[in-house]
């Protein structure tokens, strides 16, 4: 790693607060999309989102300064981080740095490898699915010929998409809605595949261990 | 494991009877949902279900006592068990403890690792799919605009969902039906993925072994 | 293996002819289903199918005799074989014995492990998908409300089902058609999963080998 | 490998230019399909495509000559190459030779194994999906009863097919369109499975490494 210890310490201290900030951002966005009647709340949420966006940008700039790279090089080596600053709804994708920071604090991992992959990747998928449902719903609401009329429809659509079931009873029809949906498929299906794969490996490991323990056949 | 030998012996003795009890529970639930005309039978089934629920709760309390933990801690460390007591239809998810108990009795596992994973996970998926089809059918029956009108439709929907094919010719439309469906996807697709993965590994192992055996080329 | 050498020699000699016979059976069945106008041909096909059925049954009985087990025990230990005798369209499922016999003849396997799994499992999936499309089409043709009106529709449905895409533009509506479809999903998705998994492993192996060969950098 | 060093040097020099030529071919095909009003441009594109086809055929003949095999044997041992000469839109399938050539030039691979598989297989899937969307759109446009009316629809259909989501809101209805779609499924789903599998393995590896590094717990 060509990141010096000051950059590492900054990451160590800010990753968790920024993750919490991204949850607040998502909640503000959700309120803005869903609380149609409450104009005051929606304005408040807009301000909260802008403030958090400024915080994310400031963090990005501080990291660039601490890293000591030229800007374009920093952008290309921190590709995911750049995407996440532009679109804070995608911040749940930063599970690996978040995992890293949490593990460093805890010292010893308390869960088995599979349980850790399952829990982090599930959380990430859940948040991404929620953000995707919100973003697609915002595009689809009121579009002519839309089948997605309530937010419940959007959640149902997101679940059927991420699991690759894809009923097709509810689908986005607007150009932007479909673009967001393709991005959600690209990120989410990979993450959910990691969950399924880990679960499958864990089950197989459990069944192997079970047959080894048979040596001393119980008390 | 911080579970002493009395708790282990209790599990050893009760796991299989409780699994059978959950099958009876499922049969009673099926009768209650499907036997529309027979009011007497449906009442009987309700009583059977309540009695079995009491048995499941009693088993849960006994395990908590034998484990010697505080209640909230027991609930959090036995998360799956708690879910299964609240929703006995999900008891097929306890395949790992069931497998454990059966293997302890048999001494030596009689099937290869892959065959064991395939058989236990398939059984679990089948039972879950049946329970999910019943539960969703109960919600959807009579709902306005429902496409699921017979139990055959519900089974067909469950098969197309668990295999992630997802035709979408029949889909739940009620809020509760969709919630149950999302839960069924979350559990079932992982389990079925384990079946598919094991089958694939078994096939690859068989083909490897086949090419090794070529040394002495038959009699 | 508790099968003596006479049973093994019988398998060695009959497996490939029986596989060819099952292809003829499938062709006769296809003619019977698709050649609607040609009554004479359809009668001929029926006789061919019955004759081949007799051959399959005779082979089954000879194997039972050579194996020296009691009948019920033979049925339970040769479960797949029993299924395949009752439903000869499923004979492509016997890829493992077929592979075994072909490898024994060739001596040295000529393809890599992945290529062998991919080719055998693809062939098996193709034949199963074709048989499933035929069988479902026979049920659906003329059913009220059927979306599957031509055999081309049936092939398109089978492809979208086995790949788990599941568009749902064409789906079976009869009870028997759906039952066959569920069986086709259960067998075919596992086999296709083996193909996909092997391809993925092969790609990863190729990319690993590529980076090792870098030692001497070309000529 | 029974390919002598002159054939290897030819491949080393031509693989990248030919890949670029296939991108130009795809762009010309896209212009021909999409630029409906511009007759002059479409004619130009046709000539470009024919010229590139001649180049691909010439390369194929040179390789055959350099390899020193008889023609039919060359065709059967270079099956993928033959397919790619007949259908230049499928040239993105040649990722393994392309990868090989690029790695030979670079000396040391700069990305980890998983990152290489993910990037090559993603690129390949993207190009294949784009080519498939173009080819299916050309068949479907103007077909009676077609649901795919704009190229945006075709891209949306391709994304939902390759991810195996398969909504079914837009599906090909012509015979040739469906045949191309089945080919696209066969190639694309395997490639995308490799992407998902590599991502999943990478995530698991990252989480393992994370727990090993815990020995010295940070500065």
């Amino acid at each position: 790693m060509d990141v010096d210890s000051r950059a590492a310490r900054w990451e160590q201290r800010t990753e968790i607060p920024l993750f919490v900030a991204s949850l607040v951002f998502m909640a503000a966005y959700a309120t803005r999309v869903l609380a149609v009647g409450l104009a005051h709340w929606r304005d408040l949420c807009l301000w909260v989102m802008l403030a958090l966006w400024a915080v994310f940008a400031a963090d990005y700039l501080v990291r660039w300064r601490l890293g000591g790279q030229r800007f374009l090089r920093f952008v290309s080596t921190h590709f995911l981080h750049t995407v996440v600053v532009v679109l804070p709804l995608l911040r749940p994708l930063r599970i690996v740095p978040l995992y890293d920071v949490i593990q460093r604090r805890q010292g010893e991992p308390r869960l088995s490898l599979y349980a850790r992959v399952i829990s982090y990747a599930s959380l990430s998928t859940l948040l991404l699915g929620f953000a995707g449902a919100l973003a697609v719903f915002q595009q689809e609401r009121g579009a002519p010929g839309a089948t997605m009329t309530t937010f419940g429809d959007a959640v149902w659509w997101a679940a059927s998409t991420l699991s690759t079931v894809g009923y097709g009873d509810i689908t986005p029809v607007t150009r932007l809605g479909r673009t967001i949906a393709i991005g959600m498929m690209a990120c989410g299906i990979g993450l959910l595949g990691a969950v399924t794969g880990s679960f499958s490996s864990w089950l197989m490991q459990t069944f192997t261990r079970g047959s080894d323990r048979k040596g001393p056949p119980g008390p």
Side-chain angles (χ1 to χ4, degrees), chain A:
Chain A
M1 307 277 162
D2 54 334
V3 184
D4 73 299
S5 72
R6 265 168 61 204
R9 237 180 308 150
W10 178 268
E11 187 169 332
Q12 186 69 16
R13 287 199 190 138
T14 56
E15 197 68 38
I16 296 176
L18 285 175
F19 181 72
V20 173
S22 78
L23 293 184
V24 175
F25 187 93
M26 206 175 277
Y29 182 62
T31 312
R32 213 177 136 66
V33 170
L34 300 179
V36 182
L38 311 164
H40 288 300
W41 275 97
R42 295 185 66 210
D43 286 355
L44 179 67
C45 285
L46 186 62
W47 288 110
V48 169
M49 282 163 69
L50 289 175
L52 288 172
W53 221 325
V55 169
F56 293 140
D59 164 69
Y60 188 75
L61 290 174
V62 168
R63 289 194 194 207
W64 163 50
R65 281 303 201 176
L66 289 175
Q69 289 175 307
R70 260 171 306 154
F71 190 64
L72 287 180
R73 188 161 166 71
F74 182 80
V75 167
S76 71
T77 53
H78 293 69
F79 180 67
L80 177 61
H81 199 169
T82 311
V83 168
V84 148
V85 166
V86 178
L87 299 166
L89 286 177
L90 292 179
R91 196 163 272 265
L93 285 178
R94 278 180 72 77
I95 51 162
V96 171
L98 182 72
Y99 163 76
D100 235 52
V101 165
I102 291 180
Q103 288 304 320
R104 259 178 209 285
R105 293 223 173 147
Q106 283 192 348
E108 188 83 1
R110 284 185 296 188
L111 295 167
S112 77
L113 172 61
Y114 299 126
R116 276 178 283 151
V117 174
I118 291 176
S119 50
Y120 280 84
S122 304
L123 180 68
S124 197
T125 316
L126 267 182
L127 291 174
L128 260 187
F130 182 68
L134 277 173
V136 171
F137 179 57
Q138 194 184 27
Q139 302 305 321
E140 292 293 309
R141 182 169 47 190
T147 48
M148 198 185 283
T149 51
T150 66
F151 185 61
D153 286 351
V155 169
W156 173 242
W157 166 80
S160 92
T161 299
L162 289 178
S163 61
T164 80
V165 169
Y167 292 118
D169 51 347
I170 290 165
T171 47
V173 295
T174 61
R175 188 167 298 190
L176 198 51
R178 285 179 175 177
T179 311
I180 297 169
I182 291 175
M184 199 177 97
M185 283 179 208
C187 303
I189 291 171
L191 279 167
L192 207 66
V195 175
T196 314
S198 300
F199 174 74
S200 175
S201 301
W202 170 80
L203 202 68
M204 215 166 287
Q205 196 205 41
T206 310
F207 275 53
T208 317
R209 208 183 48 210
S211 68
D212 289 350
R213 200 174 30 186
K214 292 290 100 51

